[in-house]
Amino acid sequence: MNLSTKVGGFELSNPFIAASGTYGYGTEYSDLSPAKEWGAVILKSVSKNPRPGNVPPRCCETDSGMINSIGLANVGLEKFVAEKLPAFVAANPDAVCIASLAGETLDEFLYLAEKLSGIGTIKAFELNISCPNVAKGGMHFGADCNASRKLVEEMKKISSVPVWVKVTPSTTDPVGVATVCAEAGADAVVATNTIPAMKIDITRCRPVLGNTFGGLSGPAIFPASLRIAYMIHRALPELPLVGCGGVDCGEKAVQYILAGCSAVEIGTATFRRPDTLAEVKQFLSDYMEKMGFNSIEEFRGLAAR
Ligand SMILES: Cc1cc2nc3c(=O)[nH]c(=O)nc-3n(C[C@H](O)[C@H](O)[C@H](O)COP(=O)(O)O)c2cc1C
C-alpha cells in the first residue's frame, strides 16, 4: 500500500512523524524505532542558549496520559549544531529530520533559523509557539494572532526550508491563530501541543511536579486535539495540516487524516510501546485496503466535508 503523503513543502514516505521532545536527538531510539522508518522525526526543541529545564520531578502519569514539565531542557544551539545533528546524521543517513525551534523572542527565533538554514540535514522548521511549561515558551506568540503573524512573516523571509507552526490548544481561538499563520505564509500548521495540567500528591499535600504545572499528553488529549485539527481544516481546507496529540493506535491516526491532516505526529505512545510505529503503519495499510483507498489524499478530510 502506498502510504506516501505530501505535507508542508515536501513528500514523506509515510504520514507518521515522531513528535518533538519524545524522540530525543534522534539517536536515543535508533535500536527501538529507527528514524528512517518514520515519515520524519522532529528533534527536541532547540533554544539559542542551553536550558537546564524545570525543577524535578518533571513527569508524572495520569489517567490515560502523562503530564510533563520538562521546561524545554536542551543543549542549546551551539552544541546542537556541533554534536547532536552530526551524530543524528551519522546514525540515520536516510532519515528525514525536522528541527523544532523554541525562541523566547522574535529575534531569538530568527537567530535560530538563520544559524540552522542551509544545514542540509534539516528539511523543515517546526516553530514551537505552544510550550505551556515555561514562562516564555513561545505561548505568548501562540496565544496572540499579531505576534504569530509577525513571527511567521519574518521567518519566511530568512528560512531556507519550509516553516511549520505548532499551535497551542490553550487559546480560545486556535483557528484564528492558524489563519494568520497561513496568511503569513506558513507551509503547514501542526495541531496541537500539550494541554496545561497538574497533579497533587495527597500524602505530601503538595503538587507532584516541581514546576506545579505541566503539559498533558497521550490518549487523554486525543479528542480535544482532533477537534482543533478538524476546525482548522474546515476553515482553511487548503492549508497543509499535521495532527498531533494522543495517537496510540492506527484508528486514531486515521481519524486525524479523515479530519483533514496529511500527516500525524506521535509522542507519548512510544514511551509505553516503542513499536507503536509498526502498528499504526500496518493498521493504516489494512484500513486503506479494506476501504479501497489507493492514497492518503483520497480520504484525507472526508469527515470534514
Ligand atoms: C516528555 C515530553 C517532552 C516534550 N517536549 C517538547 C518539545 O521540546 N517541543 C515541542 O514542541 N513539544 C514537546 N512535547 C510535546 C509533544 O511534541 C506533543 O506535541 C505532545 O506530547 C502531544 O502528542 P502525544 O499525545 O502524541 O504525546 C513534549 C512532550 C512530552 C511528553
Side-chain angles (χ1 to χ4, degrees):
M1 196 55 75
N2 173 17
L3 300 186
S4 69
T5 183
K6 271 199 189 131
V7 59
F10 53 98
E11 183 156 337
L12 306 177
S13 63
N14 70 72
F16 300 111
I17 301 176
S20 179
T22 65
Y23 199 73
Y25 292 105
T27 47
E28 296 87 339
Y29 277 82
S30 296
D31 298 339
L32 290 169
S33 186
K36 71 171 184 331
E37 289 174 16
W38 291 85
V41 298
I42 306 181
L43 306 186
K44 173 78 191 156
S45 288
V46 63
S47 52
K48 184 177 175 190
N49 298 312
R51 292 180 60 100
N54 288 332
V55 188
R58 304 201 283 200
C59 287
C60 62
E61 275 199 58
T62 185
D63 292 343
S64 206
M66 65 178 278
I67 309 174
N68 90 80
S69 69
I70 305 296
L72 294 177
N74 78 96
V75 297
L77 180 67
E78 200 179 315
K79 202 166 174 187
F80 181 73
V81 173
E83 295 175 21
K84 297 300 182 185
L85 270 180
F88 172 79
V89 180
N92 306 283
D94 307 322
V96 176
C97 165
I98 296 173
S100 167
L101 313 188
E104 288 190 4
T105 61
L106 173 63
D107 283 349
E108 249 182 58
F109 268 110
L110 297 178
Y111 181 85
L112 290 164
E114 198 187 332
K115 297 287 175 199
L116 292 170
S117 277
I119 298 183
T121 315
I122 299 171
K123 298 289 179 288
F125 293 141
E126 183 184 77
L127 309 186
N128 180 359
I129 59 164
S130 44
C131 178
N133 313 320
V134 291
K136 289 186 172 175
M139 276 277 268
H140 48 302
F141 288 103
D144 177 338
C145 286
N146 289 332
S148 297
R149 181 192 298 277
K150 176 91 179 141
L151 172 64
V152 178
E153 273 172 5
E154 296 299 322
M155 286 293 296
K156 284 298 290 178
K157 283 183 196 158
I158 62 162
S159 173
S160 59
V161 292
V163 174
W164 297 11
V165 185
K166 189 174 187 183
V167 298
T168 174
S170 314
T171 160
T172 47
D173 189 14
V175 174
V177 174
T179 303
V180 296
C181 290
E183 286 168 1
D187 296 280
V189 158
V190 180
T192 65
N193 208 317
T194 53
I195 294 177
M198 75 176 296
K199 183 174 183 175
I200 291 176
D201 179 334
I202 62 163
T203 308
R204 288 175 48 246
C205 304
R206 298 289 308 149
V208 170
L209 297 172
N211 185 53
T212 305
F213 305 128
L216 179 63
S217 63
I221 69 170
F222 171 75
S225 298
L226 178 70
R227 170 181 170 272
I228 291 174
Y230 181 92
M231 289 196 311
I232 292 174
H233 179 70
R234 283 289 296 249
L236 304 158
E238 303 304 323
L239 175 69
L241 186 63
V242 179
C244 179
V247 171
D248 62 348
C249 63
E251 191 262 343
K252 288 179 186 149
V254 168
Q255 288 195 51
Y256 270 121
I257 297 170
L258 286 167
C261 298
S262 303
V264 178
E265 293 188 14
I266 301 178
T268 303
T270 53
F271 295 157
R272 176 167 282 170
R273 279 195 21 231
D275 64 343
T276 301
L277 177 62
E279 191 275 328
V280 292
K281 274 168 136 177
Q282 189 60 55
F283 183 96
L284 179 60
S285 199
D286 293 347
Y287 172 80
M288 286 169 66
E289 194 176 349
K290 193 172 119 202
M291 298 293 284
F293 297 134
N294 294 309
S295 70
I296 287 180
E297 209 41 40
E298 241 178 83
F299 68 104
R300 185 177 69 85
L302 272 190
R305 283 183 204 148

